[in-house]
């Protein structure tokens, strides 16, 4: 285990904001976890688990110990199609690895920044697919009592961008690996309209280029993977170039009545059916308020997507947090809809 005292967290969060932690522990194995937790206990330091740091905003310093998962490894059981990935693996590289090895289904989740261990915590989802549909179980280290245990799918309470692991508790539960069941036969999921449009336009352009006959070839998982990567690269800023944490807020779910009120004010607002009502894109609501491309010093909103807060260089976590609260208040007063952050906010007073 590598331990750093009074650690700078800027390299470990995709917003690229400066913040300090009393201590930073890089974890390579479960023995490291045990040791780190004992040390934190002896010094009465609170613990904070960080994956790739792609879904967190440090609004201030963290006066405790940050645990950084660095364990690696992927194991495939070809007979069953079960694949187990260590929490410290990069999610996108894992998606590519599965595709190369003839295990399908994760192609819609390509290019999601962050670590594999963070994927079940917020039940990552994109382009019509959520992690929970492939999830079997995970291995967990409970910092409260030092126990290692297996958590099955039914114990995870997965829902939209949420799981039992996301619930706040005094001591974190650390995912050390997760196991997925992936189909060995391609079965592309093409339900998300923007994905379908992208695939159609790619098919049309290759059709024009070849000037060939009708020969419609079936869409492959690799086609889906590439289409998702193209859409994401076009719409979302690359954290390596511009600090951001993807969607800052969750898409709110409103009642059918509220949606009808919204529809009477706006011509066909975008929406998706949800279990408890209608899901309205937070990006669209914020766009109506004029937030696309908004700037407030170095903190701002991406010019191609109103749901993405960005650090244009040198913004503080506090500035980004203030901007997020301003946006939340604006949507509340404009639409009477409450936006809930998707990003975890740490160190706010
Ligand atoms: N829209 C606007 N203006 C904007 C942004 C979006 O009008 O500035 C409209 C779009 O035109 C579209 C609708 O809102 O009609 C939905 O937009 P988009 O397809 O970009 O998806 P989203 O709902 O904003 C969600 C996820 C993304 C995920 C995409 C694709 C959440 C909070 N976000 O975004 O996840 O990639 O769907 O599935 O659910 C992330 O979690 O960090 C993330 C990027």
């Amino acid at each position: 285990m590598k331990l750093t005292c009074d650690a700078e967290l800027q390299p470990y969060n995709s917003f690229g904001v400066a913040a300090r932690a009393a201590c930073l522990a890089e974890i390579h194995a479960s023995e490291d976890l045990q040791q780190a937790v004992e040390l934190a206990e002896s010094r009465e330091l609170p613990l904070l688990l960080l994956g790739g740091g792609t879904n967190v905003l440090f609004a201030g310093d963290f006066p405790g110990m940050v645990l950084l998962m660095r364990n690696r490894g992927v194991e495939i059981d070809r007979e069953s199609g079960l694949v187990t990935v260590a929490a410290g693996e990069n999610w996108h590289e894992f998606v590519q690895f599965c595709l190369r090895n003839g295990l399908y289904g994760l192609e819609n989740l390509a290019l999601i920044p962050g670590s594999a261990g963070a994927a079940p915590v917020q039940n990552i989802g994109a382009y019509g697919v959520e992690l929970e549909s492939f999830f079997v179980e995970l291995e967990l280290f409970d910092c409260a009592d030092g126990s290692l245990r297996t958590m099955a799918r039914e114990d995870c309470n997965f829902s939209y961008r949420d799981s039992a692991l996301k619930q706040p508790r005094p001591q974190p539960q650390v995912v050390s690996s997760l196991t997925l069941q992936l189909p060995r036969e391609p079965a592309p999921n093409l339900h998300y309209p923007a994905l379908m449009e992208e695939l159609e336009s790619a098919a049309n352009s290759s059709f024009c280029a070849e000037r060939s006959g009708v020969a419609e070839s079936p869409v492959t998982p690799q086609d889906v993977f590439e289409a998702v990567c193209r859409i994401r690269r076009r719409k979302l800023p690359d954290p390596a170039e511009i600090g951001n944490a993807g969607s800052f807020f969750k898409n709110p779910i409103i009642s059918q009545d509220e949606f009808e009120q919204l529809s009477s004010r706006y011509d066909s607002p975008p929406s998706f059916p949800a279990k408890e009502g209608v899901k309205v894109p937070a990006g669209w609501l914020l766009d109506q308020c004029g937030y696309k491309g908004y700037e407030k010093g170095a903190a701002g909103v991406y010019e191609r997507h109103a749901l993405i807060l960005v650090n244009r260089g040198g913004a503080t976590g506090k500035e980004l947090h203030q901007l997020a609260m301003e946006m939340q208040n604006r949507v509340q007063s404009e639409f009477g809809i409450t936006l809930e952050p998707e990003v975890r906010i740490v160190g706010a007073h």
Side-chain angles (χ1 to χ4, degrees), residues 126-127 160-161 192 235 247 249 251 287 292 305-306 342:
Y127 304 102
Y160 166 61
R161 289 299 200 276
Y192 200 80
K235 272 198 177 174
S247 301
F249 300 101
N251 287 332
D287 202 358
K292 213 187 252 174
H305 206 297
E342 198 218 305

Side-chain angles (χ1 to χ4, degrees), residues 8 32 85 145 160 181-182 185 197 202 215 228 241 249 315 346:
E8 177 51 74
D32 292 352
V85 56
D145 58 8
Y160 166 61
Q181 170 89 67
L182 297 176
E185 293 300 322
E197 282 162 27
V228 168
E241 287 163 19
F249 300 101
V346 175

Side-chain angles (χ1 to χ4, degrees), residues 83-115:
V83 53
T84 299
V85 56
E89 289 287 339
N90 173 276
W91 174 260
H92 179 66
E93 285 169 18
F94 171 62
V95 170
Q96 287 174 299
F97 176 90
C98 292
L99 266 183
R100 276 200 306 275
N101 283 278
L103 292 174
Y104 305 114
L106 300 183
E107 51 275 6
N108 299 53
L109 303 178
L111 225 54
I112 294 184
S115 64

Side-chain angles (χ1 to χ4, degrees), residues 159-293:
S159 60
Y160 166 61
R161 289 299 200 276
D162 203 11
S163 77
L165 294 156
K166 214 176 164 183
Q167 304 319 307
R169 36 181 90 237
Q171 293 287 56
Q173 293 186 317
V174 182
V175 175
S176 59
S177 69
L178 55 144
T179 300
L180 306 178
Q181 170 89 67
L182 297 176
R184 279 163 294 171
E185 293 300 322
N189 181 325
L190 310 175
H191 293 114
Y192 200 80
L195 175 60
M196 201 58 212
E197 282 162 27
E198 181 66 29
L199 286 160
E200 274 166 8
S201 85
N204 286 340
S205 59
S206 71
F207 174 75
C208 293
E210 288 167 19
R211 282 203 245 128
S212 58
V214 181
E216 264 193 34
S217 52
V219 172
T220 66
Q222 186 64 28
D223 294 333
V224 174
F225 172 85
E226 285 165 17
V228 168
C229 290
R230 281 196 303 275
I231 306 175
R232 291 190 76 101
R233 289 201 172 103
R234 206 166 52 225
K235 272 198 177 174
L236 308 173
D238 178 354
E241 287 163 19
I242 176 161
N244 77 92
S247 301
F248 196 90
F249 300 101
K250 288 189 198 179
N251 287 332
I253 295 171
I254 61 176
S255 68
Q256 192 63 43
D257 282 355
E258 287 170 314
F259 184 68
E260 271 153 31
Q261 276 178 33
L262 194 66
S263 307
S264 65
R265 279 175 63 194
Y266 293 88
D267 191 19
S268 23
S271 65
F272 298 92
K275 266 185 223 148
E276 313 82 2
V278 184
K279 197 192 273 181
V280 179
W284 181 83
L285 295 168
L286 290 160
D287 202 358
Q288 304 314 302
C289 299
Y291 275 114
K292 213 187 252 174

